[in-house]
Structure formats: structure tokens, C-alpha cells
Amino acid sequence: MQFPESWLRSFCNPPLSTQELADTLTMGGFEVESLRPVAPPFTRIVVGEIRQAQQHPNADRLRVCQVDAGQGALLNIVCGAPNARVGIKVPCALVGAELPPGEDGKPFVIKVGKLRGVESQGMLCSARELGLSDDHGGLLELAAGLPVGQDLRAALQLDDTVFELKLTPNLGHALSVYGVARELSALTGAPLQTPAIAPVPANMAELLPVTVSAPDLCGRFSGRVIRHVDTRAATPAWMVDRLARCGQRSVTALVDISNYVMFEYGRPSHIFDLDKIHGGLDVRWGRKGEQLKLLNGNTVELDDSVGVIADAHAVESLAGIMGGDATAVSDDTQSIYVEAAFWWPDAVAGRSRRYNFATDAGHRFERGVDPSLTVAHIERITQLIIDICGTPQTQCGPVDDQQPSMPAPAPVTLRVARAAKVIGMPLTQAQCADVMRRLGLAFTEGEGTVSVAPPAYRFDLRIEEDLIEEVARIIGYQQLPETAPLAPIVPRTRSESRRSAFDVRHALADLGYLETINFSFVDEAWERDLAGNADPVRLLNPIASQMNVMRSSLLGSLLDVLKHNVDRRASRLRVFEVGRVFLRDASVTTTDHSVRGVNQPLRVAGLIHGPAQRQGWGGVERPADFYDAKGDVQALLAPRSARFERAEHPALHPGRCASVVVDGQLIGHVGELHPRWRQAWGLSHAPVLFELDLQAVLQRPMPTLAALPRQLPVERDLAVVVAEGVTHEQLQQCVRGAAVGARLLDVTLFDIYRPKPGAEAAAGMAAGEKSMALRLVLDDAEGQSLTDERIDAAVGAVLAALQAQLGARLRA
């Protein structure tokens, strides 16, 4: 929003310089983005009047003018402008005048000279030569009432500054010059000049029938019929200048008046050609299939989510945004209907952007426009129309005012103690009350509270924090104490029994993995298929339709990365991610780091696909399999040892999936992707994945000291026959749990033998049996030498445990 400083000071004129005024507004929450002078510097340019204009004797395009510039004698000035004629007043640069700098950056100095043999004692100027606009079509014609010889800067108020404000969406009440002046008065204490708007008496009884069919669209609708106006009247120069300094070009007198009141008081309005309205007006929601040609020439398709103003035949206006072309005023218009309404902000917000354009009216209505002053602003518009476009026959009807649904803001209570805590400085109740008084807000005081009844124009005052903001900016952000916070600096040292997530990332990078970072929002199908989660945490406003739930597993994100790379001919891939998952858990409460009902643990997941090793001279590449991923998990958990147990997982192959158990706790899974999902994702062969709880991975045992044995350990081999269903894990647990008389250092499986079908008897085995050979490593806990008797006793204890628990027997 932009406006001239002079217009602002006409409402509120504090004793501040231009820069101080800008700084005050900025510190009050109204950021002044730029300050721009209305005109560049120039001197000795006055108002001149052409008294005579004759053809130059030696040039067809030049005229010799006799100009009265208030110097006592007429000046002889040669001019080539096409509109140089007798009787007009124009800018006259006297001898010695300095015009604005040209392209070379130096000012242009006017001297006495000769043009085609005729002496010229000055220069008549165009708007472009003075730097006022780009118009170079002729001399800048001035108002006839300006006194001859007056300095042009004073005559046109060119010693003015244009303020450009960058307002946040909650400051809709400041989208007018009067609105900014009202805030400036509160910030500085300077008096606010509020011009009285006198009612224009009606001299006819005509009313246009209006029906408000949609109170949820329009809360108040006011209008007036005015007949016999002169739409060809010229807009006064003072209004054209003010509109130009607000960034609005002059169109016609009626349009300029409507725009002027919008910039003055923030009230968008619309003027219809009354003779083009069929019957009455109906304020309603649009209907699917309706069309409207707008004033900008665009034709838009309407539906029931867009508000309109329609007559008996068609839609005539887009409510709160732009009028229609069919009822636009023209030079032939004689009778008009002036409309000023309150449109609910939610009913206007976003509608113009739907049609790829924006208007000043829509910008204001979607932020909220004062519903209490529609009648007063119609009176202001009416008076301007009579003053500028009025004729002896002009007649005005009464103002028709309908209020089907006026807003009723709820009172808001400010707790003084709460405000002091949020702002960070001591406050008294008297200070808070004074702020509300300066802002013109009605309030009542309680014990430690100030209750405010928001006025109709303050749509931003809804909760206590809004009032706290008002207190902070009116008292002044510069008043906040600059005391630096004091706190003890205590270095935090991580326990040696834990490593950081960065250590985990480095460990995986050392194993050849690349880190990926993915969205926590995923496709609901991933949760159903890969995590077996039928009730994921859903998003209320997803950024995309395929990212509508929060993930409870990292596997889907890694598969998506794999698919992206495979589609781009990546033959070997090792990726991992460390991130949060989101699980429903009724036991979780809301804290600074959690949300009620949602558990958010950290996990680490990895994926390998393609050859186990990069191709070298060794020959055929071996594809990565379950054991490669298992080895990486073991390396990641080292020096802790994990137990891998057969398990099932929705995303993994039922026969090639294992759970990872550490210290008796399940911490994750590792396995090959299920063939069904491999086919669904279009993968040539199955990747292997793992997913682990990060907190369990971060744990690491502290190293302990142990004395070196004085005797070498003893190794004994033992081959037992067991049923085919006995697993290596069962064998390990049984042997390590046996009560042996020596210390069992290690148990290693080094051979599995299955006889060929039909040869079981010769091998001393039955069908469905296998032979498993173990190597036992023994020593003495006290460092003594083991005797053969103790070794045989230890082996016998192991064999007895295997026989009792697994039905094993010693192989012959």
C-alpha cells in the first residue's frame, strides 16, 4: 500500500520529520518498505500563462510564445509542443533554472539562447522533462486557478513523499490513509482529525429493490439511486494527483471517486449504470454454469462457492471483487446506483486468485472491512459525485440499508501478568488500560485484567495474544529491556555407554551405505502393505494426495529411493535412513516433545540391492542376499551380539526374514523383500532390508579388563545327529547352557552333513536327520591346566545336555 505523506498528515500531523514518521510506523508494526519523493529536485520553475502564440518564422513545428511568468514583463519563449496555445497555464523554467538530471547524471541548466534565429528566454516543460511522469506528448497543463509566478513545487505540492507500506494480513484496518493515521495517532499521541461526513438529503423517493439471499455472504448491503449525473465531467486535479501518488491512474470521474474513497477510508464500493439493471438486485451465491464478463475483459465461470450480485436477467458483479462489464458506467450514463456492502472475509478470500487476478477490493474484503460505516461512506461518495459530476437536475434517493447478518465480535480478556511474561518486561494494569484508550478500544478493568470489546473494524482482535501484541507495539518494542539472559554453561558429556546418531551414520557409511532423507508423509498403501498398519496417523491437510499419512516404518521410503534409482539404471545400491516413525499410542501425553496419542521413536533402516561387491577381476558377481544384510547388522551392533530368530513381517519374505533380538528385547527385523511387493514395485530381483530401533543401536557395552590366561585353550570337536528341524540357534543355546566343569570360551559350527537319499542307514542315520559338527574351545577360569579327565567331563556334560534337550546322539 502506498500514499502521499501530505494526505496522511491531513488526518494526523505529529511533530516528526519524514524519516522519524517512517521509523515510528515501522516500529509500530507498519513496516515502511520505501520512501520516495514525489518529484526529483529542480529549481526556478514557476507557473506560467501563455498570452500569445505565433508560428515561428523559420520552423513549421515551433511556436513563439509570449509567457507571463510573474516577472513583470512577458517572456519570449520558443516552444515545439503541439498543445502550446493561448490561455493555458504550464510549467515555465526561468533563465538559470535547473531541471532534473538527465542520462549523464548532471542537471540541465536553462540559459538564454536562440532557436532558428529567435531568442528564447526560458523553457516551457512537459511532465517528463520535470520527472513527474513519462508523458512527453506535450506541455504539462496546469489548473487554471493557480496563480501566475508561483513556484511549481509549492503549487503542485511536489515537496511531498510517497510512503510504501508492507502490511501483514492481520492489518486490514490499516489499508487506508485514515486507518494508518488512526494508528499513527495511537503511536504518537497526536490528535486524529476525523472529518464529519454530512448526510446528503434525498430529494426523491426512488429505491432499487435489493434482496440479500445469502446472509453468510453479505452481512450488510447499502445502496442509493442518483439520477441525472454528468459522467463526462473531468476529475479534479487534486484528486488525480492523490490517486497517482497512491499508484492509481485516473480513469473517469465516477471511477476515480470510488477509488478515492477506498484509499481514503478503506471502503471498496461499486457504481452501477442504473438503466442497465433489469428489475432489482439479488445478492446470492453463484450457480454452476453461470458466466460473467468482468470489467477487465475476462469472462469467468461461476459456481456455488463464489458470491455474486445479479439482476432479474443475469449476474452483474463478482461480490467484493470486481464489477461486471454489462452494468459498467460509460460516457452515456445518466443514472447510477452506488453500492457499499460488508462481505464476510471467508466468503471473499481466495476467490480472485481462483481466476488468476487480484483486485484492491478483494484484498481489503478478505481481510475485513468495517461493516458499521457503509452508510457514511455512501454519503461521502454521494457528496463527491454531486460536487464533481452534479448538474442542476441531479436527484438523490434515500440510502437503502439492509443488515441481515452483522458481525458480533466476542470480548477478549487480557491478563496483565500474562502480558508481562510474554513480552518480557514489567507492566502495570494502568499501562495496559492506557494502550487500549489510545487505540480507541472500549474496555473494562478487573482485578489484574483488562477486557476489550473489539470495534467492528478490528477483525484481528480475537484472542489474548492479539491484545498482548497491541500492548507491545504501542508501548514500543524499543522499550524492551536489553538485559542479556544469564545461565550457567554446563558442558554435556555423553555417557560412554552410548554413542551418537552420527556415529551410527558413519558406521553405515563405512559399510558402503549412502544416507537418504525422505518425507515423513507417505502413501497410505505403503502403510497397509509394508507395515501392516490399518490405522495410520492421517494428515488433515496433506501436501499431495499420495502423501496423506504419517509413516510407521522407514522401509517404504527406502523402496521408493530404490525404485527411483533403478528406473535410472542404477545396478548396485546401498542406502540407509535415520528418521522418526509415528505410531498410535494412547499412553503418550502432550509435552514439549510429544503429541498426545502418538509415539514418535527414531529408527535406522537400510537396504541393499544388486551385487554384493563391486565387479573386479575375480569373475562372476554374487548378488547380495540375506546374509550380507545380517552381517551389516551385526557389524552395526558390535560389540554387542544379536540373536536372529525366524520371524514374519508384512514387507519381508516369510522364509527369509529374521527378528533381531539383543539382551532379550526385540529391536527390529532383517530380511528379503516379499516376492509380492517385489513384483508390485517392478524390481528385477529382491532387495534385502533391515529396520532397527535407533535407541537400541546407540547402546554399547563398556570394555572390561580381563587377565590373560596363562595356559593355552583346549579345542575339542563333537559331531551329533539331530532332527532336521533343529536350528543352529537352538544348538548354541543348549551347549552354552550346559553345566561344564571348565570355562566354555566359544562354540563354532563347522560342518553340516546330510546323507543322500537311500544312504542314511550306511551313515548310521535315519531319514529326516542331519549331522552337525561343533568345535568347543575350553579353558580354566583360574588359569590352571585342564586335565584329560576335566576335558572329557566337560564334553560329556555338553553331550548330555544335547541328548536331554534336543534328542541328539553322538555320531558313530
Side-chain angles (χ1 to χ4, degrees):
M1 175 189 171
Q2 68 179 54
F3 54 84
E5 179 184 0
S6 59
W7 198 358
L8 176 64
R9 288 187 182 274
S10 69
F11 290 114
C12 181
N13 189 15
L16 302 174
S17 66
T18 299
Q19 187 59 54
E20 291 172 339
L21 190 63
D23 293 341
T24 300
L25 289 174
T26 297
M27 292 304 296
F30 304 88
E31 181 184 353
V32 178
E33 199 166 24
S34 68
L35 295 174
R36 186 175 69 253
V38 170
F42 54 76
T43 59
R44 290 184 59 79
I45 299 178
V46 299
V47 177
E49 182 180 359
I50 300 178
R51 296 293 182 87
Q52 297 179 20
Q54 299 177 351
Q55 188 66 39
H56 193 289
N58 301 320
D60 294 337
R61 295 187 178 182
L62 298 178
R63 293 185 180 184
V64 180
C65 302
Q66 300 297 315
V67 180
D68 183 1
Q71 304 301 305
L74 299 181
L75 302 178
N76 193 71
I77 299 178
V78 179
C79 177
N83 63 334
R85 62 186 186 276
V86 175
I88 65 172
K89 291 183 178 180
V90 295
C92 178
L94 304 176
V95 173
E98 289 189 357
L99 270 62
E103 295 181 357
D104 58 357
K106 298 179 180 179
F108 182 73
V109 180
I110 302 299
K111 302 176 181 178
V112 176
K114 286 188 177 183
L115 292 176
R116 294 291 183 93
V118 177
E119 184 178 68
S120 182
Q121 300 170 332
M123 176 180 172
L124 304 182
C125 304
S126 67
R128 182 178 179 182
E129 289 164 337
L130 297 178
L132 302 180
S133 74
D134 293 331
D135 184 11
H136 195 51
L139 300 177
L140 174 61
E141 298 189 26
L142 305 176
L146 293 179
V148 171
Q150 184 181 14
D151 184 87
L152 188 68
R153 301 192 73 90
L156 299 183
Q157 294 185 340
L158 298 181
D159 291 325
D160 200 356
T161 303
V162 173
F163 280 58
E164 185 172 356
L165 268 57
K166 184 179 181 181
L167 300 178
T168 52
N170 64 317
L171 298 178
H173 60 283
L175 284 170
S176 65
V177 180
Y178 180 79
V180 175
R182 180 170 53 204
E183 294 298 324
L184 182 62
S185 174
L187 291 167
T188 63
L192 176 67
Q193 305 297 326
T194 304
I197 301 177
V200 177
N203 50 15
M204 67 174 183
E206 183 178 359
L207 288 173
L208 179 68
V210 176
T211 302
V212 180
S213 301
D216 56 338
L217 166 66
C218 178
R220 184 175 187 178
F221 192 94
S222 306
R224 163 178 266 170
V225 174
I226 304 178
R227 290 196 174 273
H228 308 299
V229 295
D230 180 13
T231 56
R232 299 174 185 266
T235 305
W238 61 267
M239 182 177 288
V240 172
D241 288 342
R242 279 190 171 176
L243 288 174
R245 295 173 190 182
C246 291
Q248 179 68 50
R249 65 179 180 86
S250 175
V251 183
T252 64
L254 290 176
V255 175
D256 291 347
I257 291 170
S258 177
N259 287 333
Y260 183 83
V261 174
M262 179 181 69
F263 287 116
E264 185 177 35
Y265 290 115
R267 164 71 58 190
S269 59
H270 187 61
I271 300 177
F272 296 84
D273 187 325
L274 182 64
D275 296 329
K276 297 177 182 178
I277 298 177
H278 304 90
L281 295 178
D282 185 12
V283 181
R284 58 174 174 81
W285 292 104
R287 296 165 186 159
K288 191 172 182 62
E290 289 183 321
Q291 292 185 336
L292 172 63
K293 184 178 181 181
L294 299 170
L295 289 173
N296 62 6
N298 295 345
T299 299
V300 297
E301 297 284 341
L302 306 177
D303 56 33
D304 58 3
S305 65
V306 179
V308 300
I309 302 175
D311 63 12
H313 289 177
V315 175
E316 303 297 351
S317 178
L318 206 57
I321 298 174
M322 185 179 289
D325 181 70
T327 54
V329 295
S330 65
D331 289 345
D332 299 326
T333 299
Q334 294 185 349
S335 301
I336 58 175
Y337 181 75
V338 181
E339 164 263 313
F342 165 67
W343 307 100
W344 287 101
D346 290 343
V348 178
R351 269 57 172 191
S352 59
R353 290 185 290 276
R354 178 184 303 179
Y355 300 115
N356 296 320
F357 67 86
T359 64
D360 287 330
H363 182 75
R364 286 164 171 79
F365 278 124
E366 66 185 11
R367 285 159 173 77
V369 175
D370 189 354
S372 65
L373 296 177
T374 57
V375 173
H377 292 159
I378 282 185
E379 299 287 4
R380 172 64 168 159
I381 294 171
T382 302
Q383 188 60 59
L384 288 172
I385 291 175
I386 292 175
D387 293 343
I388 298 171
C389 303
T391 66
Q393 294 77 32
T394 299
Q395 293 180 301
C396 297
V399 176
D400 177 26
D401 183 32
Q402 301 186 40
Q403 303 181 28
S405 177
M406 291 287 284
V412 184
T413 299
L414 170 72
R415 294 168 293 174
V416 178
R418 169 68 175 166
K421 182 178 180 181
V422 172
I423 297 174
M425 63 181 292
L427 289 173
T428 65
Q429 186 166 332
Q431 284 179 298
C432 296
D434 180 61
V435 167
M436 306 309 164
R437 190 177 297 108
R438 289 164 63 180
L439 288 170
L441 306 179
F443 65 93
T444 57
E445 295 188 56
E447 186 175 348
T449 63
V450 177
S451 296
V452 174
Y457 59 85
R458 291 301 299 268
F459 288 83
D460 59 318
L461 300 182
R462 292 293 178 264
I463 58 177
E464 183 180 21
E465 282 70 16
D466 297 328
L467 296 181
I468 294 175
E469 179 185 0
E470 297 300 296
V471 171
R473 70 184 186 86
I474 296 300
I475 290 179
Y477 296 115
Q478 64 273 20
Q479 302 300 324
L480 292 174
E482 297 181 358
T483 305
L486 298 177
I489 300 177
V490 179
R492 293 188 176 184
T493 56
R494 187 186 306 109
S495 170
E496 293 186 32
S497 63
R498 286 180 60 85
R499 54 180 171 176
S500 70
F502 288 102
D503 293 334
V504 175
R505 290 183 170 96
H506 284 296
L508 285 168
D510 291 341
L511 292 170
Y513 288 77
L514 297 175
E515 184 176 9
T516 66
I517 300 175
N518 301 290
F519 279 112
S520 297
F521 321 131
V522 299
D523 193 333
E524 186 174 356
W526 296 5
E527 285 295 296
R528 182 182 63 250
D529 298 339
L530 301 176
N533 185 8
D535 186 24
V537 178
R538 301 182 183 277
L539 296 174
L540 295 178
N541 187 23
I543 61 176
S545 60
Q546 74 277 14
M547 304 172 74
N548 57 342
V549 299
M550 304 295 290
R551 65 184 179 182
S552 64
S553 171
L554 305 181
L555 299 184
S557 300
L558 294 183
L559 285 173
D560 192 49
V561 172
L562 171 63
K563 178 64 175 172
H564 179 84
N565 284 272
V566 166
D567 289 346
R568 286 153 182 80
R569 298 183 176 276
S571 60
R572 184 178 186 272
L573 195 70
R574 286 177 174 245
V575 293
F576 78 93
E577 181 180 5
V578 176
R580 292 195 181 276
V581 297
F582 303 84
L583 309 169
R584 292 195 180 276
D585 187 345
S587 65
V588 178
T589 58
T590 299
T591 66
D592 292 341
H593 306 289
S594 63
V595 177
R596 182 171 61 86
V598 181
N599 187 21
Q600 305 176 44
L602 281 165
R603 290 186 182 172
V604 55
L607 176 149
I608 57 177
H609 180 264
Q613 300 292 335
R614 295 190 183 276
Q615 185 173 11
W617 59 270
V620 179
E621 294 179 330
R622 177 181 65 82
D625 57 18
F626 170 87
Y627 297 101
D628 293 297
K630 177 185 175 185
D632 290 341
V633 171
Q634 289 176 319
L636 186 62
L637 294 172
R640 303 174 76 193
S641 59
R643 192 172 74 251
F644 295 85
E645 300 177 354
R646 183 171 179 172
E648 292 187 1
H649 188 281
L652 303 179
H653 193 296
R656 301 173 185 176
C657 169
S659 60
V660 183
V661 179
V662 177
D663 297 335
Q665 293 186 347
L666 175 67
I667 68 167
H669 290 83
V670 58
E672 185 179 293
L673 184 65
H674 197 293
R676 179 167 62 248
W677 308 134
R678 179 188 65 77
Q679 184 177 9
W681 286 75
L683 303 174
S684 59
H685 54 277
V688 187
L689 308 97
F690 65 84
E691 184 173 20
L692 308 173
D693 178 47
L694 182 64
Q695 295 305 319
V697 177
L698 297 181
Q699 299 292 332
R700 61 179 177 186
M702 291 290 295
T704 57
L705 295 176
L708 293 174
R710 291 184 291 175
Q711 305 294 333
L712 293 176
V714 176
E715 295 181 355
R716 288 292 185 269
D717 293 344
L718 182 67
V720 293
V721 178
V722 295
E724 182 65 40
V726 174
T727 65
H728 174 255
E729 181 64 29
Q730 290 174 320
L731 202 68
Q732 286 275 347
Q733 290 183 8
C734 182
V735 172
R736 293 184 182 277
V740 297
R743 184 167 61 182
L744 185 63
L745 295 180
D746 194 15
V747 181
T748 304
L749 176 69
F750 66 88
D751 181 57
I752 298 178
Y753 170 70
R754 295 181 178 88
K756 294 181 180 180
E760 293 89 348
M765 300 168 60
E769 291 183 332
K770 61 183 177 181
S771 170
M772 302 181 75
L774 305 174
R775 178 163 294 156
L776 309 179
V777 181
L778 305 167
D779 76 347
D780 184 79
E782 298 179 358
Q784 301 296 324
S785 298
L786 291 176
T787 63
D788 289 341
E789 291 78 5
R790 292 181 63 189
I791 295 172
D792 292 341
V795 173
V798 169
L799 184 58
L802 290 173
Q803 289 174 341
Q805 298 180 30
L806 301 179
R809 69 179 186 276
L810 190 64
R811 181 180 173 187

